[in-house]
Amino acid sequence: AQFVSSDGTSLGNYRKQHLWLCIEGRVFTAGDKQTIVTYKGMKIGILICYDIEFPEIVRCLALEGVHFVAVPTASTVISRVIASAVIPSRARENQFFVAYVNHCGGEHFIGCSCVCGPDGKDIVRAGEKECLMFASIDVSQSVSVRNENSYLKERRPELYSKLVS
């Protein structure tokens, strides 16, 4: 995924790190690094599709001080719970904005794109049909939520050693 500024400049390139069910591995090579860009004063992390389903990689972005995560995806009917439950949870537990932008149409793709705030609540949410959505993002909201109830400060990494092995 490319992050392109309003003047057409490429500010970052991200390669998907978790390839879905080894099917994508036949065609693609997994990436191995995070991509964070700064745009208009906002630190933005980029993930692709299946990556958002791995809480560890999302938490790494939060620990880097990201305010917003952009997730282009092509989720199917079997992944409906990702849009409805996982995306709000990732936004809340990491206290940043998440934009989940899904393909829609045909027999398989469900749409249901959304932007969730750092409190886990929907800012905007699409249905299953194609639409154009807009969301206003205030970076200070992410900072405010982190100050009120900081999951990041209250973590106990010494208890999580099995996660990095």
Side-chain angles (χ1 to χ4, degrees):
Q2 286 284 321
F3 188 95
V4 180
S5 71
S6 59
D7 68 2
T9 304
S10 175
L11 299 180
N13 180 53
Y14 174 76
R15 292 185 53 194
K16 186 176 184 180
Q17 295 181 19
H18 298 90
L19 303 178
W20 189 66
L21 297 178
C22 299
I23 295 168
E24 293 174 336
R26 293 184 219 147
V27 180
F28 302 106
T29 301
D32 61 0
K33 64 180 182 170
Q34 301 282 350
T35 298
I36 299 171
V37 299
T38 300
Y39 184 68
K40 296 189 176 187
M42 188 180 321
K43 285 182 80 171
I44 302 169
I46 305 169
L47 298 174
I48 298 175
C49 200
Y50 194 42
D51 288 331
I52 195 74
E53 297 180 42
F54 293 84
E56 300 87 354
I57 194 171
V58 183
R59 179 52 55 95
C60 288
L61 291 172
L63 292 171
E64 290 292 331
V66 163
H67 304 110
F68 181 89
V69 176
V71 188
T73 186
S75 293
T76 61
V77 173
I78 62 170
S79 299
R80 186 177 308 277
V81 71
I82 303 306
S84 65
V86 173
I87 300 307
S89 295
R90 292 290 179 269
R92 176 153 173 82
E93 68 198 11
N94 292 290
Q95 301 172 310
F96 52 39
F97 297 90
V98 178
Y100 185 73
V101 184
N102 195 16
H103 181 72
C104 66
E107 296 178 25
H108 305 290
F109 299 104
I110 61 167
C112 300
S113 295
C114 61
V115 176
C116 293
D119 57 1
K121 295 178 183 172
D122 287 352
I123 296 172
V124 293
R125 181 171 292 274
E128 295 184 11
K129 297 191 185 221
E130 184 176 331
C131 70
L132 180 61
M133 299 184 339
F134 294 91
S136 293
I137 304 298
D138 181 355
V139 172
S140 68
Q141 186 182 2
S142 180
V143 174
S144 174
V145 168
R146 286 180 181 169
N147 288 336
E148 290 171 12
N149 179 22
S150 182
Y151 294 122
L152 301 179
K153 289 179 186 171
E154 295 178 15
R155 292 170 51 251
R156 295 191 50 206
E158 71 275 9
L159 301 176
Y160 318 138
S161 62
K162 289 185 180 184
L163 289 176
V164 294
S165 58

